[in-house]
């Protein structure tokens, strides 16, 4: 079966820089994907710079990788604020992500572009979607999408199949996964087949203007660094595959779950019973493992069922 | 051979090419990758070295210093709080005159906790006797390790070296690096043969002894100072050797579009790349501007700074650090170097920016230039200026609202 996607290929012209951002979660292989893209561009002879940014270092936390590719030495570093192309590993990331509206967007999802646009209020004119997880499962028998994501990015940038295959082989060797090479090459070729060859040129970069301001002294209530709410104050809702449920008939109020919860998502009520704040619970299941009376059970989180 | 390497991989590659034999280690983000790479190479037999994990950076530095004096080339690395935890022993191993190399991956110091870089960590250690080389690119990171050992082990110096790279902006950033061959490095960096303080079971010596005598203490300390200053000459000499073999030349300070520039921004480390881009753009607008990068921070390259900055109209010293209650750390050093020359710049202004890795926008670079132009014309020099924008403030405001409720 051959899918032809409505797609866009960037052209690396002289004095043109490609700004690419890959967005995913820790554990999805974003770093690997970024290394494959940068290696492929390097093998093609371009100047390349690539950098992942993690915040919380744990599985499930959002991670971005920024890649710059140019015909000239690169006098930039760090965050890419206005990427020309954004490749997103799954649609749950729209909650955490501010998108440059001028960027071309690729999203790994089973939904089509129009559905996505209305669901998440995305203004980007050009959105390409494809169920890469499905394709990867079909070919690799597992859902590690780093190679597929890299192949999509390389294809959209306009790199050649030859360099991309070479880069994938190098990356798998680096990870001591030589036995996976054949299937991953098959996956790369499939992605290259699925995305057609219509060319567009790089958009001009839009730059927001900022100005330097004076900072005056603020009362320590404001200017000392503390948070007046428990845990991270950033909702982890939507991270958890399973949510913990407490059976108060079995609970002995031992407080072990309260102590062990790494995100302070469990508080004690006035009778000293533990109560889980599901906005803050990231679904690590530690409370479930630690509860000595097995008073905590896990239930599949309906909200994340389709991911 | 040209390869794509992260800053951390560049440091590790520099250590491997220098035939490092002993690696005491302790993990901390964003440095950990260096020891992960080295431990992989040791396991695979690519390096003939012993890697030992310690219970703290304090012991790790002690082990590196002691090992270095038994006659093995010692390498270690850390970052931020790790460097501060080792602080006491930094003074000690420098006092032992142990020529080890420590890679510091800059990360802003808590509290508040963050992961991205500024230079309060590495600059807090500026007085302890380490030579300090700060890298702008992954290429420099690799080269500085090789150059660092050559300086450290020179009999005119015999002091430990810190090579500094910025967390994230270099540590995890892949760039194209020209990786030298083993043969080339062997030609440049001779085998390490210590002739002082050689710890050896056959001829026991005592190290780090108590002198309990102020004259002796003064003597030994000032000898360290002289040794550090010698490193300037040694750096110049070995840079020529380096160029012959590797076809790249390094200086203690490096100019960018500096020749005829009336206004100059002084900076260091990886953000220098951003400064260069801004200077390039300002040149296109017809501004007479340039940039001076300080690469060797200790010993302080006083004469080279005087030569680079004399006769300029205005200078902005960009400090990516903050001495609380003082200001920028490098600013007073630059100003004092220039004070006694007649053709010193009319205005030298202190800017503090990039704290916790905060990006510096083109507008902020332009702001620096317009402030020093004003100051040079009016002879009114403002006190230190924080590079902080309306956009930064609106970001902080929204975070404060989440953290503390209403902040009005
Ligand atoms: S699963 Fe349990 S331990 Fe983990 S965050 Fe949620 S409440 Fe806390
Ligand atoms: S660990 Fe189990 S028994 Fe103990 S307080 Fe929590 S839910 Fe109750």
């Amino acid at each position: 079966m051959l899918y032809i996607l409505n797609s866009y290929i960037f052209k690396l012209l002289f004095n043109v820089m490609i700004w690419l951002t890959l967005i995913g979660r820790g554990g999805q292989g974003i770093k690997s994907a970024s290394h494959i893209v940068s290696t492929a561009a390097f093998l093609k002879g371009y100047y390349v710079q690539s950098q992942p940014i993690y915040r919380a270092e744990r599985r499930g936390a959002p991670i971005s990788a920024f890649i710059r590719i140019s015909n000239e030495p690169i006098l930039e570093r760090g965050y890419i604020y206005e990427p020309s192309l954004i490749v997103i590993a799954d649609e749950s990331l729209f909650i955490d992500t501010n998108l440059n509206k001028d960027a071309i967007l690729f999203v790994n999802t089973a939904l089509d572009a129009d559905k996505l646009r209305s669901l998440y209020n995305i203004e980007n004119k050009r959105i390409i979607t494809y169920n890469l997880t499905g394709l990867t499962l079909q070919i690799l028998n597992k859902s590690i999408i780093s190679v597929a994501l890299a192949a999509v990015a390389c294809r959209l940038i306009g790199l050649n199949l030859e360099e991309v295959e070479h880069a994938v082989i190098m990356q798998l060797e680096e990870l001591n996964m030589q036995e996976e090479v054949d299937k991953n090459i098959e996956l790369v070729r499939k992605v290259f087949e699925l995305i057609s060859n219509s060319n567009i040129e790089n958009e001009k970069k839009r730059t927001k203007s900022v100005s330097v301001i004076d900072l005056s002294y603020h009362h320590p209530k404001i200017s000392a660094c503390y948070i007046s709410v428990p845990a991270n104050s950033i909702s982890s809702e939507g991270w958890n595959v399973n949510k913990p449920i407490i059976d108060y008939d079995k609970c002995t109020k031992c407080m072990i779950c309260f102590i062990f919860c790494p995100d302070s998502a469990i508080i004690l009520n006035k009778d000293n019973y533990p109560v889980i704040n599901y906005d803050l619970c990231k679904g690590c299941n530690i409370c479930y493992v630690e509860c000595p009376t097995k008073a905590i059970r896990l239930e599949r989180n309906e909200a994340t069922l389709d991911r | 051979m040209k390869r794509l390497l992260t800053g951390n991989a560049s440091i590790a590659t520099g250590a491997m090419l220098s035939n490092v034999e002993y690696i005491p280690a302790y993990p901390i983000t964003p440095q950990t990758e260096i020891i992960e790479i080295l431990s992989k190479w040791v396991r695979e037999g690519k390096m003939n070295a012993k890697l030992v994990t310690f219970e703290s950076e304090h012991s790790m530095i002690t082990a590196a210093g002691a090992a270095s004096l038994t006659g093995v080339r010692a390498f270690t690395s850390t970052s931020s709080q790790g460097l501060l935890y080792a602080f006491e022993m930094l003074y000690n191993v420098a006092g032992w005159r142990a020529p080890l190399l420590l890679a510091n991956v800059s990360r802003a110091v808590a509290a508040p906790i963050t992961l991205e870089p500024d230079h309060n960590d590495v600059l807090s250690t500026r007085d302890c006797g380490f030579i300090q080389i700060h890298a702008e690119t992954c290429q420099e990171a690799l080269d500085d390790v090789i150059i660092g050992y050559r300086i450290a082990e020179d009999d005119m110096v015999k002091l430990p070296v810190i090579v500094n790279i910025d967390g994230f902006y270099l540590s995890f950033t892949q760039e194209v690096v020209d990786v030298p061959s083993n043969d080339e490095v062997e030609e440049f960096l001779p085998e390490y043969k210590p002739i002082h303080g050689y710890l050896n079971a056959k001829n026991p010596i005592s190290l780090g002894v108590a002198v309990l005598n102020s004259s002796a203490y003064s003597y030994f300390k000032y000898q360290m100072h002289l040794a550090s200053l010698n490193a300037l000459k040694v750096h110049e000499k070995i840079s020529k050797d380096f160029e012959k073999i590797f076809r790249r030349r390094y200086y203690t300070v490096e100019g960018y579009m500096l020749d005829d520039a009336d206004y100059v921004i002084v900076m260091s480390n990886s953000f220098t790349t951003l400064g260069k881009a801004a200077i390039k753009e300002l040149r296109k607008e017809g501004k007479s501007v340039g940039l001076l990068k300080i690469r060797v921070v200790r010993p302080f390259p006083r004469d080279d700074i005087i030569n680079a900055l004399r006769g300029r109209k205005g200078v902005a010293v960009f400090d990516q650090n903050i001495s609380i209650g003082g200001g920028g750390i490098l600013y007073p050093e630059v100003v004092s170097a220039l004070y006694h020359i007649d053709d010193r710049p009319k205005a030298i202004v202190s800017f503090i920016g990039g704290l916790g890795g905060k990006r510096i926008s083109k507008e902020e670079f332009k702001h620096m230039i317009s402030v020093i132009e004003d100051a040079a014309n009016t002879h009114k020099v403002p006190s230190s200026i924080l590079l902080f924008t309306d956009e930064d403030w609106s970001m902080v405001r929204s975070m404060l609202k989440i953290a503390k409720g209403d902040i009005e």
Side-chain angles (χ1 to χ4, degrees), chain B residues 275-293:
Chain B
K276 288 176 179 172
I279 294 293
K280 201 171 154 192
E281 206 174 290
L282 284 160
R283 280 273 178 179
K284 277 191 200 141
E285 293 171 16
K287 296 263 184 202
S288 175
V289 292
L291 181 144
L292 185 72
K293 171 171 83 177

Side-chain angles (χ1 to χ4, degrees), chain B residues 12 22 47 68-69 72 103 124 145 154 188 195 281 318-319 325 327 336 350 353 359 362 380:
Chain B
Y22 182 63
M47 282 178 84
S68 168
L69 293 178
V72 296
S124 72
V145 172
D154 194 296
F188 175 75
I195 48 160
E281 206 174 290
F318 171 83
D319 267 293
S336 76
S350 167
R359 102 161 154 153
K362 294 258 158 70
K380 280 194 198 113

Side-chain angles (χ1 to χ4, degrees), chain B residues 247-266:
Chain B
R247 296 161 302 280
R248 288 186 290 281
R249 179 70 194 261
Y250 288 108
Y251 299 89
T252 58
V253 297
E254 287 172 8
Y256 180 77
M257 297 192 164
L258 199 57
D259 290 349
D260 59 340
D262 288 329
Y263 298 95
V264 179
I265 299 178
V266 177

